[in-house]
Amino acid sequence: MISISKTVLICGLVLYLGFIIVFSDSKCPSSEHFSSFRLKWSPFNFESNVAQSKTATNIRHLLFGLLGSEKAWHHRKSYIESWWRPNVTKGYLLLDVPPQGDDLLPWSSNSPPYKTSDDVPKLVNETKHVDATVLRLVHGIMEVFREDHDGVRWLVMGDDDSIFFLDNMVEILGQYDHTKYYYLGGHSEFILSNYWYSFHQGFGGAGFILSYPLAKALAKDMMSCLKRYAHLNAADRTTMTCIADIGVNLTPLQGVHQIDLRGDLSGFLSSHPKSLLMSLHHFDMVDPIFPSMDRAQSVFHLQNAAQYDQSRMLQQTICHHRSKSWTFSVSWGYSAHIYEKIMPRSWIQRPIETFKTWQTSSNPPHYMFDVRSPSQDPCEAPHIFFFKSVERTPRNEILTTYTRGWPRGIETCLFAGNHSAEYVSEIHVYSPAIKRIQIDRCECCDILHEAGSNKAEVKYRECKEDEIIA
């Protein structure tokens, strides 16, 4: 039996070698066909094709669709121009009517190219939709998608009063398979907004993201879906419903912020969740985020820090100066706080409720996150500093400087001795000039402060394996 098996194996090997020799002969007319067959079906060639489709996601793989109105664009274009990269970012601004006025024409090269929406009255007549604005916004997804397919992996839809952080967006999207169906986005911060519309929708102002196959399927079904849901009067809910009919549900992202809040946003921005910042929406509805700046100046100032290191934008780092019983909390690129008491990280991470609810709401809960009330207790009220400047040092570190926003105006915390921080007017934060993408744990830091100096230094470092910040 063993002898027969060996004979069969040897014969098979001889036949295989003979086959290769014959068909690899350049004089053999069939060799060319065999070579092309072998090249086409070679497992190595297959792996090469797969590898090509798995190349790292970059900004050229993103297509943006920004929905806006001509009337609002006159004062909102600065928001978009703060992050748009001419000749690099792909996409369009979809306006309701062509732009007019000397402040818009000729069209700025720093703005996205614009297109006007399709004939909305005609579409309303065809679909019998109850709300022309909702129809225009939802139909705009198809209008943007149909314009540019070359190399696109992700379709990003947003509003004209939002700012995006492109490097972080690319980093996050690179973690997902663009060949599959994905619907990515964020919830509203205001709990009632999610209740009124849906906890399963991506709020479009902050930006929702569709993988190319899903965008293609949605565009193909667009008119049919608008007819099916002609009674719905909310664009984001309509989009979610159309996508649900395709069989896809929302994958929530923490770094996408609808900002359904009003007033002073500083408390929220100073305690960002431990995730990469991707977008901020509703800049028209909140106060300018930096003192002594208007809204346009504020967004450019924030993006100035983002140009140096988006991976740390708004990331909260907390550390202690134990000799004075001070706690430092830094929201990188935005603010720094000093508390005159050693505070636990779990408490500092809760945003101070400096902001107001999106709409009147008498009974809590109001938000999708924990908050703490502003306090006049000198041991709980922070000294507040805001981002002033950023630079790269000769030691290849990034130095961000934060200056005092205003005098705190209350007495010193006497819990652990008389150590006032009122005389500190400037905080220098040194961070590595290396992106920190894997945010599985916050960074730690060390405080340097000479007695009586009006400046304090914060030096970032990785936390030790068993280090406890409490």
Side-chain angles (χ1 to χ4, degrees):
M1 180 68 68
I2 296 176
S3 176
I4 295 174
S5 299
K6 287 184 177 179
T7 302
V8 172
L9 179 62
I10 292 171
C11 291
L13 182 60
V14 170
L15 288 172
Y16 174 76
L17 292 174
F19 183 77
I20 294 297
I21 292 171
V22 170
F23 282 99
S24 61
D25 185 356
S26 61
K27 295 179 181 179
C28 177
S30 301
S31 63
E32 184 177 342
H33 298 293
F34 176 71
S35 297
S36 63
F37 174 86
R38 182 172 56 188
L39 180 62
K40 181 177 180 181
W41 293 104
S42 167
F44 296 102
N45 187 62
F46 173 75
E47 290 174 4
S48 175
N49 291 338
V50 171
Q52 187 175 1
S53 69
K54 296 293 185 181
T55 54
T57 296
N58 62 60
I59 194 172
R60 302 293 293 178
H61 293 132
L62 277 58
L63 176 65
F64 285 85
L66 304 172
L67 296 163
S69 69
E70 193 275 343
K71 181 179 180 180
W73 185 249
H74 290 265
H75 68 273
R76 286 182 174 179
K77 72 173 186 174
S78 57
Y79 302 151
I80 305 301
E81 289 184 348
S82 72
W83 60 267
W84 186 263
R85 301 175 187 176
N87 301 317
V88 176
T89 323
K90 289 182 179 180
Y92 305 94
L93 171 68
L94 205 61
L95 294 174
D96 49 352
V97 296
Q100 300 177 16
D102 294 338
D103 59 330
L104 296 186
L105 298 175
W107 191 254
S108 172
S109 61
N110 294 319
S111 295
Y114 76 87
K115 292 184 179 295
T116 54
S117 296
D118 285 353
D119 189 337
V120 174
K122 179 181 177 181
L123 292 170
V124 168
N125 184 62
E126 184 176 349
T127 61
K128 310 303 179 188
H129 206 285
V130 298
D131 193 311
T133 300
V134 168
L135 181 144
R136 184 177 87 85
L137 297 178
V138 178
H139 193 265
I141 300 171
M142 183 185 72
E143 295 173 39
V144 174
F145 175 80
R146 73 189 179 197
E147 294 294 336
D148 192 343
H149 295 177
D150 185 31
V152 171
R153 295 181 178 182
W154 301 96
L155 175 63
V156 184
M157 300 299 298
D159 281 2
D160 60 351
D161 59 341
S162 297
I163 64 173
F164 292 98
F165 297 84
L166 298 179
D167 296 340
N168 285 346
M169 188 169 286
V170 167
E171 195 68 38
I172 291 294
L173 293 178
Q175 300 172 19
Y176 294 88
D177 186 347
H178 63 277
T179 66
K180 300 185 182 302
Y181 281 27
Y182 276 109
Y183 168 39
L184 307 170
H187 295 118
S188 170
E189 295 79 12
F190 186 46
I191 196 167
L192 286 180
S193 291
N194 300 292
Y195 172 73
W196 290 330
Y197 296 105
S198 175
F199 285 90
H200 299 290
Q201 77 173 31
F203 280 73
F208 62 80
I209 307 167
L210 308 178
S211 60
Y212 180 85
L214 178 57
K216 182 177 180 180
L218 181 60
K220 184 177 180 180
D221 185 54
M222 181 59 68
M223 290 302 294
S224 176
C225 190
L226 286 172
K227 291 176 182 178
R228 288 199 304 276
Y229 300 107
H231 61 284
L232 293 181
N233 59 358
D236 295 338
R237 187 174 183 180
T238 302
T239 301
M240 175 207 69
T241 307
C242 294
I243 291 173
D245 286 353
I246 299 172
V248 182
N249 298 115
L250 178 71
T251 299
L253 297 175
Q254 274 196 307
V256 176
H257 297 293
Q258 177 72 0
I259 310 296
D260 279 349
L261 306 168
R262 295 185 187 272
D264 178 6
L265 204 59
S266 63
F268 179 81
L269 298 180
S270 296
S271 300
H272 190 268
K274 190 162 62 67
S275 57
L276 292 179
L277 174 65
M278 297 178 70
S279 70
L280 297 169
H281 179 44
H282 274 152
F283 269 90
D284 278 356
M285 301 300 178
V286 297
D287 299 339
I289 61 175
F290 289 106
S292 304
M293 293 186 184
D294 62 24
R295 292 183 177 88
Q297 292 169 334
S298 290
V299 295
F300 276 99
H301 191 53
L302 189 68
Q303 288 287 354
N304 187 35
Q307 291 177 11
Y308 282 78
D309 186 356
Q310 289 199 11
S311 70
R312 288 183 173 85
M313 281 302 303
L314 301 192
Q315 298 302 305
Q316 189 181 24
T317 302
I318 300 167
C319 48
H320 299 133
H321 189 47
R322 295 191 180 275
S323 65
K324 290 187 173 63
S325 296
W326 289 350
T327 300
F328 283 69
S329 173
V330 179
S331 174
W332 196 95
Y334 179 67
S335 69
H337 293 175
I338 301 178
Y339 295 84
E340 294 180 357
K341 182 181 176 181
I342 299 299
M343 294 293 202
R345 177 175 282 169
S346 59
W347 189 80
I348 298 287
Q349 286 177 335
R350 294 162 57 193
I352 302 173
E353 193 179 0
T354 59
F355 40 84
K356 299 176 183 178
T357 56
W358 181 245
Q359 294 189 23
T360 302
S361 177
S362 57
N363 298 318
H366 301 310
Y367 311 109
M368 295 288 287
F369 50 87
D370 298 328
V371 296
R372 51 191 164 107
S373 299
S375 174
Q376 288 299 303
D377 184 329
C379 297
E380 294 184 355
H383 298 265
I384 300 176
F385 303 74
F386 289 97
F387 167 66
K388 178 185 178 182
S389 62
V390 59
E391 62 183 276
R392 190 179 296 270
T393 72
R395 297 175 59 183
N396 199 31
E397 294 175 305
I398 297 177
L399 166 61
T400 48
T401 300
Y402 305 79
T403 55
R404 183 178 287 275
W406 47 77
R408 191 173 67 151
I410 55 178
E411 65 269 21
T412 300
C413 174
L414 300 178
F415 180 82
N418 186 17
H419 295 291
S420 172
E422 195 68 45
Y423 62 91
V424 178
S425 60
E426 195 166 282
I427 300 176
H428 292 181
V429 176
Y430 293 88
S431 57
I434 300 173
K435 290 199 299 184
R436 195 171 188 272
I437 301 303
Q438 298 298 328
I439 312 179
D440 59 329
R441 187 182 183 188
C442 298
E443 286 180 289
C444 289
C445 50
D446 299 313
I447 308 297
L448 301 176
H449 177 255
E450 296 181 3
S453 173
N454 68 337
K455 296 180 181 179
E457 290 187 0
V458 179
K459 291 186 175 291
Y460 280 21
R461 60 174 173 79
E462 292 294 334
C463 295
K464 299 174 184 177
E465 183 176 349
D466 56 352
E467 187 169 2
I468 303 296
I469 304 300

